[in-house]
Each structure stands twice: as C-alpha cells, then as structure tokens.
Amino acid sequence: MTKTTFDLAVVGGGPGGYVAAIRAAQLGMSVALVERAELGGICLNWGCIPTKALLHSATVLRACREAAHYGVSGAGDARPDLAAMVARSRKVAGRLGQGVAHLMKKNGVTVFAASAKLAGAGRLTLDNGTALSARHIVLATGARARELPALPVGERIWAYRQALVPTEIPKSLLVVGAGAIGAEFASFYRAVGAEVTLIDMTTEILPQEDAEISALARKSFEKQGIRVMTQCAVTSSSLTASGVKVVLDQQGKRSELEVDRVIVAAGIVGNVENLGLEQTRVKVEKTHIVTDGHCRTGEPGVYAIGDVAGAPWLAHKASHEAVLCVEAIAGKPVHPIDPLRIPACTYSYPQVASIGMSEARAREHAAKTGGDVRVGKFTFAGNGKAIAMGEDQGLVKTVFDAKSGELLGAHIIHPEASELITGYGVAASLEATEEDLMHTVFAHPTLSETLHESVLSAFGRALHA
C-alpha cells in the first residue's frame, strides 16, 4: 500500500522541488514529491538543459567553419544537421530526467505522477484521487511563457517548446523579447543559417544587464548578422501562405515584416492556478506567490520556492531556496537569500554573465548614501589565453564601493562568461574586498586572469592594460 502521510510534501519536480525533496530526505524527513509532467521540470526538459545542448551544437558548428584559422583543414564547409542536433538535445534532457528519478529512489522520496491541490491544513488532494497529509507543504510549481494576444502560439508562432524541436531551419525568423531566452534562440538560429530579427520593447537588448555590456552584446549580435530593433513591439500578426506577417511599432513608426516563423520570448507568469490557494492566506501578486526570507507564505505550513515565488527566475536560485527552505523547516540556522549574490547567465554568443549591481544602479545607491564607486574594466584582448583560443573579444567590468572596497557588481561578456562569473560569486559570498581579490594568485595562462585585472583596473593598478 502506498504511503500517504509524510513530514514534507513538495508540489513540482523542477530544480527547486526535487532539490527540496532530496535535502529533506537527507535531514531524515519522510518526503512526497508530486509532479504532473516530467521530473526535472521545465528547466531540465524544456529550458536550461536542452537549449544549452542546441547552443553547444552551434558552437561546434561555428568552430568547424572557422577551423582553417586554427590550422585545421577540411572542416570549413560544415553544415548543420538539424534533426541530429534536436535528437541529441532531447537525449541529453532524457538522460538527466532519468538521473532525477534515480535520485528520488536513492533518497527514499515517494513520487506521485499527478497534479496537486491544497485541501486544508496539511492536506493535498491529487487528481488521481489520492489524498496526502504532510506537516509541511512546499509549492515549487514554476512558471510558464507569457502569452501575447497579438501572437497566438501555433504551428508558425512558437513558444520555447516548439522552438526546441524544429523540423526545419526557417529561412527568416522574428524573435520577440531580447532577454536571456530570446537572445539564446536568436544566437542558435542565426548560427544554423536563419535570417534573424530580434526585437524588444526596452531601449536595449538584455535590459537586465549593465548598459555597457548590453551595448557590446548588441554590437556583437549585429556583426553576426542579427537585425536588432529596440523600443519595438508587435501590434498584430496574421498568417500568410507560408509564414507570418507582423505589424511592428517602433516609437510610433509602424512597419510590416514577413517571416517564416516567430518565437515569443516575452517573459513568464507563475503557475499559481488550480492549487487551491483561494481558500488559504497565501498571497499572490502579479502571478507570483509572496514569501518571506524563509520561503514561508501567509498560510502556516505552506511554503513557496523557485519561479512561482518570483524573480530572479533562475534554476540555481530555486535550488538554493529549496535548501534554505527545508533547513529552516528543520530548525537549522539559515540566512535569507540575497538577490545581489545570485549570478545571472545568458548563453548566447557571446555569453553574458553578471552578479550584483550594474554601474548605474551602484552610482544611484552611492548618491543616496553620500558614497562613491570605483569601476574597473579589462578586455580579453589583453589576455594570453583568450588570444590563444581566438576568443579575444569581450570585457570584464567590476564595480566597487570606493570607501570599503566591497564588490558591488561584476559583469562579463565573452564566450566563457558563464564559467567565469562564479569567481566573483564566491568572492561576494565571502565578502571579499578589493584587497583580498588583488592579493589572490590567478593561474597563468587562464581566462580567469581577466577577473584579477579588472579588479586591479578599478584601483589604478592594471598590469596588462
């Protein structure tokens, strides 16, 4: 007979939910995990992981095309095999999904393939008729793509799911939304041969990033042949014989664009429907559940983590919240998550990664407190490893409090930015000052030396600039 009474029940099996289940099991709790679709959630199955698999295929394709530059002949006429790329991407996602299932079994977590709804204090009802009881319930239901009335998703207008499994490369493509998801799809489809137009309603692409970094990303995208239009929105769309015609409004100037396909990447909304929240004290604002620093909602015994609990919408934030939440339930001392210490990564070409404040935000903060900031910059053109790799375009930018030496923000644009940003993440977590970072010995030759040089630059001590 299947067990139905637990110490902890988790609704949602994504990077937040399954990590919460594992940590709770490690702490000796009996745990139920309810997942209506695939273990691993959107991130593993239809987001973070399969997109990175496709983007890596694009990286290999790009390397083959440029092989002659590195003294390798015969690879210059490389062409994309889209079916093979997609098949590999799905295989990678499938492998990791099996891994999560193994982890659930290994840690003694009882998994229910169903949807769940709150049914009173400490109770859940599943759509398969099962009733669960748990002292603590963690909601980790994630989020979904925001729908735009002017662009109804269908055969030719895609959301991320359709964009991950194309059967052919569109000759022309419009990507609506130039945040991380839009930038990544624009990079992939441009690499495999599509003519790409990337638009956003804001004044710059990657609007969440430091303005200087965003401008460099735009310049790189345009150099690759991606058409970028900012302060631009789609007002209407209609299907044609073979594609989609859209009407664009760019600062009051209207124009028409016809493309084979459209990808909608205009943000997300939290999955808060059909959870039974209406009869509880759980508060929802702008489709996200309101929580405190320990992930508690307004309803005793009910918690929320990950995308459903609001920005930043990042898998690693969800996993960190999962551990924090469960350890708080177990009575362990925990510290509320600091958004300024959560790195953000965009896996476009080139990649963009950041942590903490942008220069503009840091200066605004300093102006209010009577302080000042120091800004350091170092280009990869001065780094031996980057030159040897043939990837010497990019920038590392650091922002410090001028008086205390606190690292306020760090920003990187480079094909390896996502791997490099963790160095600054560790520094921020350890509350390292500029002196600590300047005295750190970085191996040579490595790309990480640029992190050191940018810190030195902020204090007028750069060695290779």
Side-chain angles (χ1 to χ4, degrees):
M1 185 175 178
T2 303
K3 179 181 175 67
T4 58
T5 301
F6 301 87
D7 296 319
L8 179 76
V10 183
V11 182
Y18 83 74
V19 169
I22 291 172
R23 185 64 185 127
Q26 291 174 341
L27 292 170
M29 300 182 199
S30 58
V31 186
L33 176 67
V34 185
E35 170 54 55
R36 66 185 181 186
E38 302 133 313
L39 287 174
I42 294 298
C43 175
L44 189 154
N45 294 281
W46 295 100
C48 318
I49 300 303
T51 55
K52 303 316 165 281
L54 288 179
L55 286 162
H56 187 69
S57 292
T59 297
V60 174
L61 177 63
R62 194 178 294 110
C64 288
R65 288 170 173 168
E66 299 171 357
H69 175 72
Y70 300 93
V72 178
S73 61
D77 63 346
R79 296 179 298 277
D81 182 338
L82 186 65
M85 288 180 174
V86 171
R88 178 179 178 275
S89 172
R90 301 316 308 155
K91 183 178 180 180
V92 168
R95 175 181 173 182
L96 288 172
Q98 292 173 359
V100 174
H102 169 73
L103 289 172
M104 295 300 97
K105 184 176 181 180
K106 176 184 176 182
N107 286 279
V109 175
T110 303
V111 177
F112 293 88
S115 294
K117 180 180 291 188
L118 295 171
R123 290 183 293 148
L124 288 171
T125 57
L126 310 189
D127 61 356
N128 62 9
T130 303
L132 302 182
S133 297
R135 293 170 55 202
H136 305 280
I137 297 172
V138 176
L139 303 177
T141 51
R144 62 187 183 277
R146 183 182 300 279
E147 297 179 4
L148 299 181
L151 292 166
V153 173
E155 182 181 350
R156 300 177 198 166
I157 300 175
W158 297 342
Y160 59 88
R161 283 181 180 257
Q162 293 88 347
L164 281 168
V165 289
T167 56
E168 60 182 1
I169 301 169
K171 292 181 180 179
S172 56
L173 173 72
L174 172 66
V175 181
V176 180
I181 296 173
E184 290 176 5
F185 277 126
S187 285
F188 171 73
Y189 278 98
R190 180 61 191 140
V192 297
E195 293 295 326
V196 178
T197 299
L198 176 64
I199 71 170
D200 199 274
M201 293 181 65
T202 62
T203 58
E204 196 50 87
I205 67 170
L206 299 177
Q208 76 279 12
E209 299 293 345
D210 181 89
E212 184 174 10
I213 299 295
S214 294
L216 289 172
R218 178 173 185 162
K219 183 178 180 180
S220 178
F221 281 18
E222 290 176 336
K223 186 177 180 180
Q224 296 169 53
I226 297 173
R227 180 189 182 194
V228 178
M229 300 175 68
T230 50
Q231 295 180 282
C232 182
V234 175
T235 60
S236 64
S237 67
S238 57
L239 299 182
T240 64
S242 59
V244 184
K245 180 184 289 185
V246 298
V247 176
L248 303 177
D249 185 329
Q250 188 175 30
Q251 293 183 281
K253 182 179 180 180
R254 295 170 66 85
S255 61
E256 290 187 349
L257 176 67
E258 188 168 345
V259 292
D260 290 339
R261 297 292 183 270
V262 176
I263 294 177
V264 180
I268 63 174
V269 294
N271 293 324
V272 295
E273 301 87 357
N274 302 314
L275 291 176
L277 302 181
E278 298 79 10
Q279 306 304 315
T280 72
R281 284 178 278 181
V282 175
K283 188 176 181 181
V284 176
E285 290 183 356
K286 297 180 179 179
T287 78
H288 293 91
I289 294 174
V290 177
T291 60
D292 67 8
H294 289 174
C295 305
R296 295 173 293 208
T297 71
E299 180 73 16
V302 178
Y303 311 78
I305 61 174
D307 286 358
V308 75
W313 300 286
L314 301 166
H316 44 281
K317 173 257 195 182
S319 296
H320 188 90
E321 279 186 332
V323 173
L324 182 158
C325 177
V326 170
E327 290 188 349
I329 289 172
K332 293 187 174 296
V334 298
H335 299 286
I337 194 167
D338 182 354
L340 292 177
R341 293 182 180 174
I342 303 173
C345 301
T346 299
Y347 297 83
S348 53
Y349 181 79
Q351 295 180 7
V352 172
S354 62
I355 189 167
M357 299 183 189
S358 66
E359 179 182 355
R361 182 177 174 188
R363 291 195 182 281
E364 289 174 5
H365 177 74
K368 293 177 182 178
T369 59
D372 199 1
V373 300
R374 283 181 173 268
V375 177
K377 301 176 188 179
F378 191 78
T379 69
F380 284 86
N383 177 262
K385 179 67 177 294
I387 294 170
M389 292 171 60
E391 296 286 7
D392 60 350
Q393 299 299 302
L395 176 71
V396 179
K397 180 176 182 178
T398 45
V399 185
F400 290 88
D401 181 274
K403 184 177 180 180
S404 68
E406 178 188 0
L407 177 64
L408 300 177
H411 311 272
I412 308 172
I413 179 168
H414 185 266
E416 297 296 334
S418 64
E419 297 295 336
L420 292 169
I421 196 63
T422 298
Y424 288 129
V426 172
S429 293
L430 295 177
E431 299 183 347
T433 65
E434 92 291 356
E435 185 175 356
D436 298 319
L437 289 167
M438 286 193 285
H439 289 169
T440 299
V441 179
F442 287 78
H444 174 78
T446 63
L447 296 175
S448 65
E449 290 175 279
T450 60
L451 309 186
H452 191 217
E453 289 279 5
S454 183
V455 174
L456 293 173
S457 170
F459 294 85
R461 293 177 53 180
L463 298 173
H464 295 90

